Amino acid sequence: VQLVESGGGLVQSGGSLRLSCSASGLSLNYYTIGWFRQSPGKGREGVASIREGVAGTTYADSVKGRFTISRDNAKNTVYLQMNSLKPEDTAVYYCAAPNLGIIVVRVRSPHEYDYWGQGTQVTVSS
């Protein structure tokens, strides 16, 4: 099982980025997928999640209305569209999946997830 994030970079405040999480060894449509971020000296924060099947979504209050998580099953990819970016969004962003068959209860808790990508850096300049 491998998750790979891409799409990070340097953007000015107010700009947009779209992160991608692609997978090998698992079909993402069968999993709850979480996006997390971590900045230096801070813990890993759950940003957004998307459920398997009916694909219900959740967002942290800090990104609600600015970020959108979505899934493209044909491409086996989950996206995180990030608009109106702020300097405080600067972090390494990770996608994560649980073991197959595990029901994720606390969808934005990193402890619920077993598989992680290597992360992609997002830097927002003021």
Side-chain angles (χ1 to χ4, degrees), residues 27-42:
S27 295
L28 292 181
N29 56 307
Y30 293 119
Y31 292 79
T32 292
I33 301 298
W35 277 102
F36 295 80
R37 65 186 181 188
Q38 188 167 18
S39 51
K42 295 187 177 180

Side-chain angles (χ1 to χ4, degrees), residues 12-86:
Q12 288 187 334
S13 182
S16 298
L17 286 173
R18 188 178 76 161
L19 305 184
S20 299
C21 173
S22 60
S24 59
L26 74 167
S27 295
L28 292 181
N29 56 307
Y30 293 119
Y31 292 79
T32 292
I33 301 298
W35 277 102
F36 295 80
R37 65 186 181 188
Q38 188 167 18
S39 51
K42 295 187 177 180
R44 197 161 288 191
E45 175 192 16
V47 172
S49 68
I50 186 166
R51 287 279 190 195
E52 70 279 14
V54 296
T57 58
T58 70
Y59 298 93
D61 287 343
S62 57
V63 306
K64 204 170 290 183
R66 300 188 297 121
F67 289 12
T68 303
I69 189 171
S70 62
R71 180 199 301 273
D72 185 333
N73 292 334
K75 295 184 178 180
N76 203 27
T77 300
V78 172
Y79 301 101
L80 185 67
Q81 177 68 44
M82 306 187 297
N83 299 329
S84 302
L85 282 162
K86 305 175 182 180

